[in-house]
Amino acid sequence: MLATRTYASEKDLYDFMWLDPDKKVYVLQNKVHKKDGTFYVNLGYGSGLSSTFQDTSLLHGNLGYQIAEEWAIEGLYTKYSNKSNDNLENIQRINGVVPFLRRPISNYGVIAKWSPFYGKINTFNKIFYFDWSFGAGLGKINTESNATTVSTPSTANTYNKESATSLIGKTQLQFHASKNFHVGLDIIMNNYQAPGPTINGKAGSDKLRTNYDALITVGFSF
């Protein structure tokens, strides 16, 4: 009763209300939804965040295996759909020009995922458990751009397909609705090298480009 610190294992559950409020109590939260040795599959829908002149929607899927409680290997695939927005229509109507555009088509890759944080939240008298994870890996991103025609007004604006190796970064907040069903909020980032527009027959130099996606996923583990 006089200890300034009390420790409990993951399997121990105690009521510490009787302790002095000034005392610090360190308790490892009981982890209800174990992941070690399980497979999971997620499907998601979201939006691209990187284009000023396009409204980009996406469908996403991933499949992973938890090699340990905090570590997983995950394969992912994303398919994009692009539509010109009001910004593009306005700049064409007012200034009579077409901006340089690079639009994502699809990307896929493999990442290692680390889940160092977990916790629970009481919402409407129901407890939900969640994990916060980070991932990194390599992939391929397929895009299309008007780099070869945008600087030549007399040439029709056309889009040519491109492909580049990407460094993938990911963070996910995943809520466990039940033992096997979960909902996630994901941010995925693809970093890749790609050229700028061709000017006077000279292709633009390669620069680091970044494509951000935000999405909601639903999934199952087994």
Side-chain angles (χ1 to χ4, degrees):
M1 294 179 61
L2 300 178
T4 58
R5 295 185 179 183
T6 302
Y7 296 88
S9 71
E10 189 180 54
K11 296 181 180 180
D12 294 329
L13 297 175
Y14 294 102
D15 183 0
F16 293 104
M17 295 299 295
W18 49 266
L19 286 177
D20 187 319
D22 293 332
K23 300 296 189 296
K24 293 183 178 180
V25 180
Y26 296 84
V27 179
L28 181 61
Q29 175 191 326
N30 184 39
K31 194 166 189 179
V32 174
H33 301 294
K34 301 288 188 179
K35 303 192 297 293
D36 188 11
T38 61
F39 289 91
Y40 62 86
V41 58
N42 298 316
L43 296 175
Y45 177 81
S47 299
L49 306 178
S50 299
S51 179
T52 304
F53 301 107
Q54 298 287 296
D55 290 332
T56 303
S57 60
L58 60 94
L59 293 174
H60 174 84
N62 60 62
L63 175 66
Y65 175 68
Q66 290 284 158
I67 58 177
E69 191 63 34
E70 294 184 353
W71 290 95
I73 297 295
E74 179 178 299
L76 53 84
Y77 177 81
T78 305
K79 179 67 176 178
Y80 299 91
S81 177
N82 300 283
K83 181 181 179 181
S84 297
N85 59 23
D86 290 343
N87 293 331
L88 179 60
E89 295 174 359
N90 289 335
I91 198 172
Q92 288 179 308
R93 185 176 67 252
I94 297 172
N95 298 326
V97 297
V98 176
F100 170 57
L101 293 174
R102 175 168 283 110
R103 308 187 296 203
I105 300 173
S106 65
N107 84 275
Y108 57 89
V110 176
I111 66 171
K113 191 170 76 170
W114 179 43
S115 306
F117 306 112
Y118 66 90
K120 60 184 176 182
I121 184 172
N122 188 335
T123 304
F124 301 111
N125 291 325
K126 184 175 178 60
I127 295 176
F128 292 96
Y129 297 86
F130 64 89
D131 297 284
W132 185 14
S133 63
F134 305 89
L138 291 174
K140 182 76 71 173
I141 183 167
N142 300 307
T143 61
E144 60 182 7
S145 80
N146 59 353
T148 59
T149 61
V150 67
S151 64
T152 309
S154 59
T155 303
N157 187 52
T158 58
Y159 292 87
N160 297 315
K161 292 184 177 180
E162 306 166 333
S163 182
T165 299
S166 66
L167 177 62
I168 303 173
K170 175 181 176 179
T171 185
Q172 178 189 62
L173 189 62
Q174 181 172 273
F175 294 88
H176 299 273
S178 67
K179 180 180 179 181
N180 301 109
F181 178 71
H182 50 262
V183 178
L185 302 175
D186 298 16
I187 299 292
I188 300 176
M189 175 178 61
N190 278 272
N191 298 288
Y192 61 98
Q193 292 279 346
T198 299
I199 300 176
N200 297 325
K202 183 178 179 181
S205 59
D206 282 357
K207 291 184 178 180
L208 181 65
R209 317 286 177 176
T210 303
N211 187 73
Y212 289 98
D213 302 322
L215 56 148
I216 298 176
T217 63
V218 294
F220 295 90
S221 59
F222 50 92

